[in-house]
Amino acid sequence: MDTNKRPDSMERITTVQLAQDFISEQVAALQAQIGDKKVLLALSGGVDSSVVAALLIKAVGKQLICVHVNHGLMRKGESEQVIEVFGKELDANLVYVDASDRFLNLLSGVSDPEQKRKIIGNEFIRVFDEEAGKLCNISFLAQGTIYPDIIESKGVKAHHNVGGLPEDMQFELVEPLKLLYKDEVRLVGDVLGLPHNMVYRQPFPGPGLGVRCLGAITRDRLNALREADAILREEFENSGLAQHVWQYFVAVPDFKSVGVRDGKRYEGWPAIIRAVNTVDAMTATVEEIPYPLLHKITDRITAEVDGINRVLYDLTPKPIGTIEWE
Ligand code: XMP
């Protein structure tokens, strides 16, 4: 039997009851597979790895060791939420690694987007590997593989994902979500009690803000991007748009324009807002954001974020523009 094929008889998980049944079955299966051994998981805080973590915590508790690598390119508050939810509320065995300086030092002066992605991906593996090397007697590696990853295994995600781990790791794989679609993963996460904003969050590229701080990343511009992005998210949530828009974010290019603040010349970067809807990320349309909201976001970003003096809205559909800027 091909264990990577979803059986035709498998019912779509659409209700709390079905999610509970899935959780009970998986908890029993995970306990049988893992026994009293230890499992390692790279926990990014994204939907898939978070749901795997919650499921494994329920099944084997402290035998799961979650490693959260903060590459310094997370959105505002994300690493903090991982620590709060998994370290504190779920009392998980969590190793938090703040590797921001390592990543940002390696990225210093690098402007080519593919080169940036490679550096981030390789360093992620190196940091994770080092942490794994410090732990003893790990038998299993858990992964947040979901069914679309298997179907598209040679497509977008495989080449995109920073979480691609070394092939020579000597662990047996644990992939409890590998037959589920994203909506099912979200429902299971909800029923497991994970916070709504974690389970329903929008897709976020593995290289994080690294591909939105355009060109060579500097710490000051990265900070400006993170703050502007947080304001955009807050305003989308408050206005209810967050539920209707598939992906929305800010990108900050590495050039400045002239502005004026408090009667003085004020040079700053532009914050570019992108908000798109799509089904499969292959094509995308631009969301029509009400002008009053755009004005409010512009006012807040230019007033609250150091270094930003203009706000632009990207009106380009995909194609011709990709969703990300690099
Ligand atoms: P593009 O920019 O190709 O993006 O239109 C399509 C979707 O993929 C996400 N994306 C990435 N995801 N690593 C990822 O894990 C990446 O390097 C990456 N680049 C783009 C993007 O956010 C969008 O959802």
Side-chain angles (χ1 to χ4, degrees):
M1 196 181 92
D2 181 359
T3 55
N4 282 342
K5 165 122 181 46
R6 185 172 167 126
D8 294 336
S9 58
M10 186 169 160
E11 197 174 348
R12 188 88 176 205
I13 302 170
T14 51
T15 63
V16 169
Q17 183 59 52
L18 288 170
Q20 275 164 349
D21 295 345
F22 173 84
I23 292 166
S24 311
E25 272 165 34
Q26 281 304 317
V27 164
L30 288 166
Q31 287 169 341
Q33 183 185 6
I34 295 163
D36 60 1
K37 305 223 169 70
K38 289 190 194 158
V39 191
L40 185 62
L41 170 72
L43 175 62
S44 68
V47 181
D48 306 337
S49 67
S50 296
V51 176
V52 169
L55 200 52
L56 277 159
I57 290 166
K58 197 171 170 76
V60 298
K62 300 251 177 185
Q63 287 162 249
L64 172 71
I65 298 150
C66 304
V67 176
H68 176 69
V69 177
N70 179 353
H71 51 26
L73 304 163
M74 308 291 284
R75 288 178 294 199
K76 189 170 182 177
E78 282 184 323
S79 285
E80 292 80 355
Q81 188 180 36
V82 168
I83 294 170
E84 183 61 35
V85 171
F86 292 97
K88 299 198 180 136
E89 286 169 27
L90 296 177
D91 193 24
N93 215 335
L94 173 69
V95 178
Y96 170 70
V97 190
D98 182 355
S100 311
D101 283 336
R102 281 176 66 161
F103 282 83
L104 296 182
N105 289 343
L106 281 173
L107 287 164
S108 167
V110 181
S111 56
D112 176 63
E114 286 314 304
Q115 190 62 24
K116 286 165 71 179
R117 276 196 169 77
K118 250 186 227 137
I119 290 173
I120 297 166
N122 291 344
E123 190 61 7
F124 183 90
I125 291 173
R126 210 167 294 133
V127 174
F128 187 75
D129 225 4
E130 280 174 25
E131 291 306 317
K134 292 181 198 162
L135 303 164
C136 306
N137 300 324
I138 304 286
S139 308
F140 297 93
L141 181 69
Q143 284 194 321
T145 314
I146 68 171
Y147 203 45
D149 302 336
I150 291 180
I151 300 170
E152 303 158 8
S153 65
K154 291 193 178 52
V156 175
K157 189 136 180 184
H159 120 99
H160 269 160
N161 249 3
V162 165
L165 293 168
E167 277 164 16
D168 59 353
M169 280 194 161
Q170 302 299 312
F171 302 125
E172 193 180 318
L173 281 184
V174 176
E175 299 179 301
L177 308 179
K178 73 177 176 184
L179 297 183
L180 300 198
Y181 291 101
K182 195 77 168 195
D183 53 299
E184 298 179 298
V185 174
R186 292 200 156 114
L187 184 54
V188 167
D190 237 354
V191 172
L192 282 166
L194 290 176
H196 187 85
N197 71 350
M198 190 171 239
V199 170
Y200 286 90
R201 72 183 213 159
Q202 48 174 325
F204 186 53
L209 298 181
V211 293
R212 298 176 182 171
C213 191
L214 309 178
I217 299 168
T218 57
R219 287 171 200 247
D220 51 357
R221 197 156 50 86
L222 181 62
N223 283 340
L225 163 61
R226 184 176 285 118
E227 294 301 324
D229 184 69
I231 291 172
L232 178 77
R233 282 160 57 203
E234 198 178 305
E235 290 301 329
F236 266 45
E237 268 149 35
N238 290 345
S239 69
L241 260 187
Q243 292 161 36
H244 306 293
V245 184
W246 196 79
Q247 197 170 16
Y248 48 94
F249 57 86
V250 169
V252 177
D254 61 349
F255 60 80
K256 289 187 170 177
S257 69
V258 179
V260 57
R261 178 182 269 177
D262 303 328
K264 284 196 220 102
R265 184 181 168 102
Y266 181 65
E267 291 188 354
W269 303 290
I272 302 165
I273 298 175
R274 187 124 173 88
V276 296
N277 272 317
T278 176
V279 176
D280 55 10
M282 303 297 282
T283 63
T285 55
V286 172
E287 178 68 19
E288 308 246 326
I289 304 183
Y291 262 85
L293 180 61
L294 277 176
H295 285 302
K296 184 166 183 209
I297 292 169
T298 303
D299 289 346
R300 280 199 61 195
I301 290 179
T302 51
E304 295 174 34
V305 183
D306 253 3
I308 303 279
N309 68 351
R310 287 174 200 262
V311 176
L312 316 181
Y313 189 52
D314 183 350
L315 285 169
T316 323
K318 174 180 180 178
I320 186 167
T322 47
I323 295 176
E324 301 292 343
W325 268 58
E326 61 173 37

